[in-house]
Amino acid sequence: MATWGSCGSGAAFNQPQWMQIQFNEEKPEFNKLPTKTGHRSLTRSISQSSTDSLSSGCGESSEEESSPRDKLQRNSKGLADFCIKNIDQADFGRREIEVAQQEMPALMNLRKRAEEEKPLSGAKVVGCTHITAQTAVLIETLVALGAQCRWVACNIFSTQNAVAAAVVEGGVPVFAWKGESEDDFWWCIDRSVCADAWQPNMILDDGGDLTHWIYKKYPSLLKRIRGIVEESVTGVFRLYQLSKAGKLCVPAMNVNDSVTKQKFDNLYCCRESILDGLKRTTDVMFGGKQVLVCGYGEVGKGCCSALKALGAVVYVTEVDPICALQACMDGFRVLKLSEVIRQADMVITCTGNKNVVVREHLDRMKNGCIVCNMGHSNTEIDLVSLHTSELKWERVRPQVDHIIWPDGKRIVLLAEGRLLNLSCSTVPSFVLSITATTQALALIELFNAPEGRYKQDVYLLPKKMDEYVASLHLATFDAHLSELSDDQAKYLGISKNGPFKPSYYRY
Ligand SMILES: NC(=O)c1ccc[n+]([C@@H]2O[C@H](COP(=O)([O-])OP(=O)(O)OC[C@H]3O[C@@H](n4cnc5c(N)ncnc54)[C@H](O)[C@@H]3O)[C@@H](O)[C@H]2O)c1
């Protein structure tokens, strides 16, 4: 364990042996991957549609509709400490996990490298995330690295029931099923925390609900917790609020703002999934369409570049002159929403803000305009203003509503203003692998940090670890990194082994 002792923010960072980067050795393993086409068709995500198709593959439709809370189930080893839809689906779930593993090479690599050292030996991780095949790969990696885990869903709709069954069959208690009620949701969180002879010492959260529950119901547990790892904007915001109020009593790692999350999940994930979500729901053709993208941050940049590549005419709205200038330099016309709203065929919000598209804009849109959100939750489009007596709502497909104005004009609203890609498309496992690897490393770092390195505050992952996450993924592309000579390293004033950039570098 001593190998972890010298790594920290700003401190000298000695890599454990399994963290050494050896691309040549990794390459043959990745050459075994099937073709990209094969991956794409098999990849699962947290989308509603994919969980639906998964369910039908597992014969869930024939199940009786009793609540999992009323059933006593056991896995094949006699474990009864879990609550999921149906343990009999474990074999289907295992196949899903195996497919995801192929697109999550870094986690698999981490398993192999750190399996002997077991840097999470003694860690008791309670996790609250989407329960999908990709999360299962993360959970099983944590177990391979020595952790004991209990898991719960952070979302009532996104659980892949068969995957949950496979994870339970593997010995990890899971409390989650697709279609939980609000009451079930909190009951599951409570069960995940509260177990006989088991108390968590690490929290992995996505959204902050688990952390909130422990703060509210089990504050005494916090004395044992060595660290919280939080992935979401909302959860991180809550942690900073606690910290500001002097109420954060545990060190926390903000994974959301890691370079490896922001630059990959927000940018590349959205670049790939925006088209998928729009196609699946509307069959729209992009060439020549006039598309208005609100917000030119990472998500907006990803969406714009994908749409431009397919021949769409893209307009951008921005409030920040720097991002607006970036949009201009990338070849997009920056206008006010009111200036372009009448001619838009599609309007996509990516701002993280609220009420960006309001009734006044919706009233002025042309017939057939598609409206959707890739940004924050369901706040960006003012939906309340669309629930008025003169407007008729017509569900034309799952996740597709036509809103009909008195003169017959129809607006096509996707996913009721929730995130289009998470609701209507798949999200690439490879991108999730980057975030999941960051989460795993954040847990390892917080768990092994010597007393005093992290105070009761919110931290970013040390840059060296961000670089390590990236390096673990490079082998997939058979990328060969150049090395600095001693002289060059001295000239730049950095170590030959990184970190290669100062913390303020923006990439
Ligand atoms: N759909 C997904 O898969 C996904 C992935 C990652 C993040 N997100 C979410 O997307 C949102 C945006 O993320 P980001 O990384 O691009 O953030 P960001 O802060 O980099 O970009 C948002 C941009 O919107 C601009 N903006 C704010 N209010 C505006 C307004 N009223 N009109 C026009 N522009 C406005 C800001 O100036 C900023 O440049 C966040 O809520 C984030 O949580 C979604």
Side-chain angles (χ1 to χ4, degrees), residues 75-298:
N75 76 0
S76 65
K77 286 147 214 120
L79 175 80
D81 178 23
F82 63 88
C83 191
I84 58 169
K85 185 80 176 175
N86 185 353
I87 189 67
D88 295 340
Q89 296 172 345
D91 286 349
F92 290 103
R94 181 52 51 194
R95 280 175 231 153
E96 291 295 327
I97 295 170
E98 284 164 5
V99 171
Q101 283 175 348
Q102 294 178 27
E103 274 286 84
M104 304 186 83
L107 279 179
M108 302 308 288
N109 207 320
L110 193 64
R111 265 189 218 187
K112 240 198 267 165
R113 286 169 182 232
E115 217 157 18
E116 273 182 30
E117 198 175 325
K118 296 223 182 297
L120 287 176
S121 176
K124 295 181 177 174
V125 183
V126 58
C128 180
T129 63
H130 297 283
I131 295 185
T132 62
Q134 293 85 2
T135 315
V137 180
L138 170 63
I139 297 170
E140 293 182 350
T141 300
L142 300 179
V143 171
L145 301 187
Q148 288 176 26
C149 297
R150 291 172 76 82
W151 227 262
V152 63
C154 69
N155 179 293
I156 57 175
F157 292 120
S158 63
T159 298
Q160 290 180 328
N161 287 332
V163 167
V167 175
V168 168
E169 187 53 37
V172 174
V174 174
F175 302 86
W177 57 96
K178 185 179 162 186
E180 293 166 13
S181 67
E182 177 93 13
D183 181 57
D184 294 333
F185 177 78
W186 293 109
W187 180 85
C188 285
I189 288 199
D190 197 63
R191 287 289 312 271
S192 73
V193 178
C194 194
D196 292 341
W198 193 95
Q199 291 194 330
N201 55 21
M202 297 295 297
I203 298 173
L204 179 63
D205 209 353
D206 181 350
D209 289 331
L210 171 64
T211 306
H212 172 76
W213 190 256
I214 293 177
Y215 258 82
K216 205 175 106 193
K217 267 206 85 181
Y218 303 104
S220 63
L221 276 188
L222 290 164
K223 285 191 207 106
R224 293 170 175 270
I225 304 282
R226 291 205 210 170
I228 301 169
V229 174
E230 171 58 57
E231 186 199 332
S232 74
V233 180
T234 319
V236 164
F237 178 68
R238 286 170 160 187
L239 287 173
Y240 280 115
Q241 276 184 322
L242 277 177
S243 168
K244 224 169 134 187
K247 291 186 183 158
L248 185 65
C249 41
V250 174
M253 204 67 98
N254 165 3
V255 167
N256 177 63
D257 292 303
S258 291
V259 178
T260 39
K261 158 91 173 39
Q262 290 277 331
K263 290 283 166 181
F264 295 90
D265 191 350
N266 300 26
L267 178 69
Y268 297 113
C269 172
C270 293
R271 191 176 75 178
E272 300 228 355
S273 52
I274 176 69
L275 304 178
D276 188 14
L278 284 165
K279 280 275 187 211
R280 283 182 196 223
T281 45
T282 63
D283 308 318
V284 69
M285 184 169 140
F286 296 101
K289 288 283 174 3
Q290 307 214 34
V291 185
L292 175 56
V293 175
C294 303
Y296 201 68
E298 301 299 337

Side-chain angles (χ1 to χ4, degrees), residues 390-422:
E390 78 278 18
L391 299 184
K392 210 175 115 203
W393 284 59
E394 193 176 276
R395 171 84 15 143
V396 294
R397 283 177 175 180
Q399 312 281 5
V400 184
D401 287 299
H402 280 184
I403 299 157
I404 308 163
W405 264 249
D407 65 357
K409 176 182 98 167
R410 285 171 184 251
I411 296 297
V412 183
L413 176 68
L414 304 183
E416 294 178 58
R418 293 188 303 269
L419 295 191
L420 174 73
N421 57 344
L422 297 195

Side-chain angles (χ1 to χ4, degrees), residues 233 266 270 295 297-299 318-320 323 351-353 374-376 421:
V233 180
N266 300 26
C270 293
E298 301 299 337
V299 173
E318 247 304 337
V319 292
D320 177 341
C323 298
T351 69
N353 205 340
M374 286 286 284
H376 181 54
N421 57 344

Side-chain angles (χ1 to χ4, degrees), residues 466-488:
D466 257 342
E467 289 174 356
Y468 182 61
V469 171
S471 71
L472 283 174
H473 288 86
L474 281 179
T476 303
F477 307 102
D478 190 18
H480 301 186
L481 270 185
S482 304
E483 284 170 26
L484 288 172
S485 67
D486 291 337
D487 200 34
Q488 287 174 324

